[in-house]
Each structure stands twice: as structure tokens, then as C-alpha cells.
Amino acid sequence: MWRRAVTESKACQLWRLIATRGAATGSGKQGSNPASSTAVVDSLLLRSLKEHYLEVSKMNPPPKVNPPSPFTIIKGALDSNGPVLKRTYGKEEISIFVMRLANIIRGEGDDPEEDGINQLFLHVDVSKPGQENSLQFLCGLYPDALGIHSVSMRPKVDSSADAVAPSKYNGPVFEDLDEKMRDAFHSFVEERGVNESLFPFLQAWLYVKDHRNLLRWFKSVGSFVKEK
């Protein structure tokens, strides 16, 4: 059920270069005055933060991609840690949370330079009216495949904290299920539109979110350092 796809992305490489680039080097000799020394260090850091901010702000976002119908984008998702997409299926409500798989599961020898942009981690929440619990899937999403990590019954979620790191496990190890049941679960989520067709939108959406968060981080750190 799994196929790993690796697609080189120049934008992604530039992004990592900026995100991991060291601060500017080459400071003068420190004086005996601690206040003067601090001012020099702070000035160097503020200059580096400003340079990185301007560099990132000039990066072109990916082409706009709409989610596959009938999924809709949840208002304010870019500025929250909640679900990104939702849809109805009969009486069910399907909510999708997303993160980069490299941020959750990284095996020894994995190369984030290759795979980080092409592996997404989905939390799929299937709920029904009047039910206290929902059926929740933790999945890996690739450009050409979707694989299920686990299936559990849990209280309905309203934040990504429980979505990405559940503290309670309510089901068997997915790989321990027989092949027929695993295939049936894959058919269950695919029938509800959860498949590789979501990848282009979610990949672009995460790029925009990461871009926004990085700019916000440069500004907030700079404001903190500059505050006297």
C-alpha cells in the first residue's frame, strides 16, 4: 500500500538554505564595557534577522491550488493549529489536520533534504452527530499514495495537540490486522475522498503556512531583542 515518492524542489532547497543559514560572522573585539559589547552583539543579530526576513519575504509562493471538491478550507486555518479541511459525507463530518511527516516520524538514515517536502502526516477525524467519540485515522500522505498508520476510537477533537500526539491508544497496531481488514479501512477513507488527490493542495498550504510562520518568527525575535 506504500510507495515513496521523491521530487526535488528548488523552492524547498532555497527554503532550507534560508532556514538553516547561520548568523552573520565577523564581529570586532569586545570592549571592556558590557553594555557596549551587548549593543554590538544585538546589532549583529538584528541585522541578520532583518536580512533573512527580507530574503524570505521575496520568495514567490507556489501557484494557488484549490482542495479537491467537496472539501473546503476552514476559515483561519493558516493562523491556528486546528483542522485545515472539512467536508460532509452523508451525516458524517470529515476533518483533516496536516503536518510534515518528517516532523513526526524520522527513521535512522532518512534524508530530510530529499523527502521532507513530499511526506505529509494526516490526522483524519470522522464524526457523527450524537456520538461522543469519532473514528480517527493517522495517515502518511505522498504524491501518489496514502498509507494508514493507525485507527482508533477517541473523543472528538478540536485541536491538533491530540491529533498529532494522542496520549491514549484505543486500537490494535494497524500492521497487525489482516490484509483484508487493512484494505477495507483504506477503502473506507478513500470513499470519503481522503487520498493522494489531497496532496497538491496540502503541500502548497503547508508551504504558505511555513512561510508566514517564519516571517512572524523573524519579526517577533527582532522585536524582543530590540526592546530595552
Side-chain angles (χ1 to χ4, degrees):
M1 303 298 296
W2 289 87
R3 292 178 57 200
R4 301 185 63 178
V6 177
T7 305
E8 186 174 36
S9 169
K10 291 184 180 179
C12 177
Q13 290 176 339
L14 176 59
W15 184 268
R16 295 194 186 97
L17 177 63
I18 293 171
T20 59
R21 182 176 164 186
T25 60
S27 59
K29 293 183 179 179
Q30 294 185 356
S32 58
N33 187 337
S36 176
S37 174
T38 298
V40 171
V41 172
D42 289 359
S43 177
L44 287 172
L45 177 56
L46 288 170
R47 185 188 311 163
S48 180
L49 288 166
K50 182 177 180 180
E51 290 174 353
H52 282 74
Y53 178 90
L54 293 174
E55 192 169 0
V56 172
S57 66
K58 294 175 183 177
M59 294 175 65
N60 294 324
K64 185 176 180 180
V65 181
N66 293 320
S69 178
F71 283 99
T72 59
I73 305 170
I74 295 177
K75 186 177 180 180
L78 277 172
D79 297 311
S80 75
N81 293 320
V84 177
L85 296 174
K86 66 178 180 180
R87 66 159 294 186
T88 56
Y89 182 84
K91 293 184 177 181
E92 299 173 356
E93 181 172 293
I94 317 296
S95 301
I96 294 181
F97 301 76
V98 63
M99 291 184 70
R100 298 207 188 283
L101 188 61
N103 295 343
I104 307 297
I105 302 171
R106 179 171 294 170
E108 185 176 354
D110 285 354
D111 185 358
E113 291 295 322
E114 287 187 342
D115 297 334
I117 198 71
N118 289 316
Q119 301 181 17
L120 305 182
F121 179 85
L122 298 189
H123 170 96
V124 182
D125 184 90
V126 182
S127 63
K128 294 184 177 182
Q131 296 283 343
E132 294 184 358
N133 293 327
S134 60
L135 186 59
Q136 298 176 25
F137 297 81
L138 301 184
C139 307
L141 179 64
Y142 300 88
D144 60 353
L146 178 135
I148 298 175
H149 289 299
S150 68
V151 183
S152 60
M153 291 295 299
R154 295 180 56 81
K156 294 179 180 178
V157 299
D158 56 7
S159 73
S160 64
D162 288 334
V164 299
S167 59
K168 184 178 179 181
Y169 183 67
N170 293 330
V173 176
F174 188 74
E175 291 302 317
D176 288 347
L177 300 174
D178 65 60
E179 184 176 0
K180 181 181 291 187
M181 182 173 290
R182 295 199 304 269
D183 288 346
F185 273 123
H186 275 92
S187 297
F188 180 90
V189 295
E190 289 171 0
E191 178 67 21
R192 286 154 177 79
V194 182
N195 54 46
E196 62 272 16
S197 68
L198 293 171
F199 186 89
F201 167 78
L202 292 174
Q203 182 190 49
W205 185 89
L206 278 174
Y207 185 97
V208 173
K209 185 178 178 69
D210 289 346
H211 183 270
R212 181 177 296 194
N213 285 341
L214 188 56
L215 288 175
R216 186 181 292 124
W217 183 83
F218 286 139
K219 289 186 67 175
S220 62
V221 173
S223 297
F224 179 88
V225 173
K226 190 160 40 177
E227 181 67 28
K228 302 298 182 182

